[in-house]
Each structure stands twice: as structure tokens, then as C-alpha cells.
Amino acid sequence: MRTLFALFACGWLIALPAAAHEAQRVAPGIYVLPGVLAEPDAKNAGRVVNTGFIVSRRGVVVIDSGANLRQGEAICAAIRRVTRRPVILLIDTHPHPQNVLGNAAFTRRRIPILATAMTAEKMNERCPRCLEHLTASVGAEAMAGSEIVLPQQRITAETTLDLGDRRVHVIPTGWGHSEGDLVVLDDKSGVLFAADLVYAGQIPHLSEARAKGWLEALDLLLTLPARQVVPGRGPVGTPQEIKNFRRYLDALYQRVTADYQAGRTLDETLNRLDLPEFHAWQGYAERHPLNIQHVWYEIERNDFDAAANANP
Ligand SMILES: [Zn+2]
């Protein structure tokens, strides 16, 4: 009966392999749908970030909708295999396409979407281009029916959801990995959905990031009473994952800053800034040089701004 309901609720999705979207139980009432540690491509259809959901007496709260309508529908189907309780809210953790382009699956069920005000603003600004880029990476078939749906509920400060048998804290963390990051902490289980503020076993993307703000956000996460951490990428772990990831970002930031202050050029830094400790993380060869450049430009911009402010 439950299977029949899932098929009915999510119609055409029956063609997808079911095992690819099975929810993994992290704690009582807390589930994760793991993404693949890879760049978005036709094979993974853009499913490269972890999404999740929290089951409460009042209903289900979903964290991120995935890369396309199909993934959003697959999340709905996975929820139906776990519980018959209604989905009452979708939270978009930040404005990246792999996290938000499945939103339409939720609005067609009249489920409200919550995000930071900055996430809504950046989605409005960038998502048309993101949708094009992601379609070029994964193919038009995977993106069929996907559309840009902006969050209607927009927050700028910590918000607590009273879900009856559990309270869930939605915590904006400022401009770190992206301009609009937030994390979700379930106080009953101590599970923290850290989204893309934490990568486990993968070199991060910094294309919209501020490395300094990101390090500050990680320090904030380390003060939260979390017992388990669901990273945006990679397997579920403990708060140690936050520390492991912070080591990469801190080494990158400190080393680029030292070279910049020593008067080295960006090219010199690109040639010498190797971090062997992180060679085994997925994406090191491609992403690490890009991250050096990104941090270099961030430090240079801050330097120019400071000089301009000192000599207006
Ligand atoms: Zn992201």
C-alpha cells in the first residue's frame, strides 16, 4: 500500500532506480539522502549534495530540494516510504543550483519554502544562468520541468520551529560558502545539517565564497551543541568533520595571506602552495588551484578596500 501511494504521489518517477534515493536514518526521525562525491554530470544528474528531512509530530521538514524537479520528486517519494506525515516546510540552505532547483516539486504540493533573504535575492539574480549551466552539465532530460522557484519565507536571524515533539533551529551564518548560508540544528537528536559549510572528503567550491567569513561560520558551528553533523558533501560524521574541513580552509587562507604579504605573485603562489594532507580529497587537482586564486583575489580586494578607507 505504501509503495502504491509513493508511485501515485510521484507519478512518472517510477522509471528512476529506487535504490538511488533511499533515505538513510541518522537518528530517530532524522534522514539523509546522500549525494555523490563528484562534479554534476549526466550520470549523477546533478545529485551531488546531501539533502535530508526531519520527521516530527507536526509533519516533515525537508532540507534542500536537489538539483532538478526529478530529484525533488525523488525526495518526496523517499519521504513517503518513511512516513505518511505531511511535508510542511522546505528549507533552502543556500542559493546554489544543486540545492534549490528541485523547489518546484514542493510548490506543486503547496509546501512553503524558507531561506535567508540573501538566498532569495541571489537566486533571483543568478539562477537563470545557473539553470543553463547545470543543464549543460547534466543534460536537458535530467533537468526536464525544472524551474526557478524563489523561497517565500525569508529570514535574516535565527528562527526556531516548534514542531511539537522537537524544536529545530534555523541559523543564518552570514556570507561564508555563499552569500546566504544557513544551517539547521535539531535539538532533540543533536543533528546539525551544516549544508555546504562543511565538505567531508572533498575539496570545496569557493566561487561565491568569502573564505574569512566561512572560517568564522565554522567557528560558530563548533559552538553549537551538535552530536552528529550532516555535511553538504560526503558521509555523516561528528563535529570532528567541522574541524577536519576547517583545517583545509584555514591552511589555504593562511598560506595565501602569507604569500600575498611577502610580495609573491599569484603565479608563484599557485606553483608553491601544495597541501599534501588533502591530496586524497575528491577534486583536489581541479579545485585547489581555483581556490588559491579565489582567496588571493579576496585578500587583494580587502587590501584595496582597507587602503581606500584609510585614504578616502
Ligand atoms: Zn553550495
Side-chain angles (χ1 to χ4, degrees):
M1 188 61 199
R2 179 168 292 190
T3 308
L4 280 176
F5 184 83
L7 295 179
F8 175 74
C10 291
W12 49 270
L13 257 178
I14 52 175
L16 273 186
H21 281 92
E22 286 308 325
Q24 295 180 0
R25 186 173 173 276
V26 175
I30 309 284
Y31 295 85
V32 172
L33 291 139
V36 185
L37 273 189
E39 300 298 334
D41 60 22
K43 201 166 148 208
N44 59 46
R47 193 167 63 87
V48 295
V49 300
N50 296 330
T51 59
F53 60 93
I54 300 170
V55 182
S56 76
R57 196 180 295 149
R58 296 220 165 121
V60 180
V61 173
V62 180
I63 295 111
D64 284 330
S65 63
N68 45 48
L69 178 65
R70 188 180 292 188
Q71 194 185 341
E73 291 287 348
I75 294 168
C76 293
I79 293 169
R80 281 289 161 263
R81 288 192 286 273
V82 168
T83 178
R84 298 293 296 272
R85 292 188 184 167
V87 177
I88 54 171
L89 183 69
L90 164 67
I91 299 172
D92 285 345
T93 58
H94 65 292
H96 286 163
Q98 298 92 337
N99 303 81
V100 303
L101 289 180
N103 282 2
F106 295 84
T107 45
R108 61 162 56 166
R109 292 173 171 79
R110 301 182 189 284
I111 296 161
I113 306 173
L114 179 147
T116 62
M118 193 55 98
T119 284
E121 187 181 322
K122 293 298 165 186
M123 280 177 68
N124 192 39
E125 193 179 305
R126 283 200 302 258
C127 274
R129 205 169 60 241
C130 298
L131 181 55
E132 272 177 34
H133 287 170
L134 196 56
T135 303
S137 303
V138 306
E141 194 190 332
M143 299 302 289
S146 303
E147 55 185 297
I148 299 156
V149 179
L150 299 183
Q152 311 89 0
Q153 299 183 10
R154 300 169 188 188
I155 60 168
T156 53
E158 180 172 339
T159 301
T160 298
L161 309 174
D162 181 356
L163 301 178
D165 56 335
R166 62 203 322 152
R167 284 155 62 87
V168 169
H169 306 281
V170 185
I171 308 167
T173 54
W175 188 340
H177 166 72
S178 77
E179 303 91 332
D181 300 325
L182 63 75
V183 298
V184 178
L185 176 66
D186 171 61
D187 64 2
K188 189 173 181 179
S189 63
V191 172
L192 173 68
F193 286 88
D196 276 357
L197 282 171
V198 177
Y199 285 55
Q202 188 182 48
I203 298 294
H205 280 291
L206 270 77
S207 45
E208 271 91 31
R210 277 184 180 169
K212 195 161 183 289
W214 196 337
L215 285 163
E216 288 163 6
L218 292 173
D219 290 338
L220 171 75
L221 299 196
L222 286 167
T223 68
L224 299 176
R227 295 195 288 279
Q228 290 190 87
V229 173
V230 179
R233 325 281 179 122
V236 176
T238 66
Q240 183 62 40
E241 287 304 332
I242 304 172
K243 294 181 183 170
N244 293 347
F245 176 69
R246 195 187 184 289
R247 277 211 321 279
Y248 169 76
L249 202 59
D250 188 52
L252 174 72
Y253 189 74
Q254 298 300 340
R255 292 276 298 272
V256 175
T257 302
D259 274 18
Y260 181 88
Q261 289 175 348
R264 292 199 172 87
T265 65
L266 173 56
D267 276 350
E268 286 170 333
T269 302
L270 280 165
N271 284 330
R272 54 186 250 119
L273 207 173
D274 186 26
L275 297 173
E277 184 189 352
F278 305 101
H279 281 185
W281 287 14
Q282 196 272 329
Y284 183 89
E286 305 80 26
R287 294 187 188 179
H288 180 62
L290 295 174
N291 291 346
I292 292 172
Q293 289 182 60
H294 183 90
V295 172
W296 182 278
Y297 294 134
E298 176 181 329
I299 291 167
E300 192 175 57
R301 205 166 46 243
N302 290 344
D303 199 20
F304 289 162
D305 289 349
N309 288 336
N311 305 295

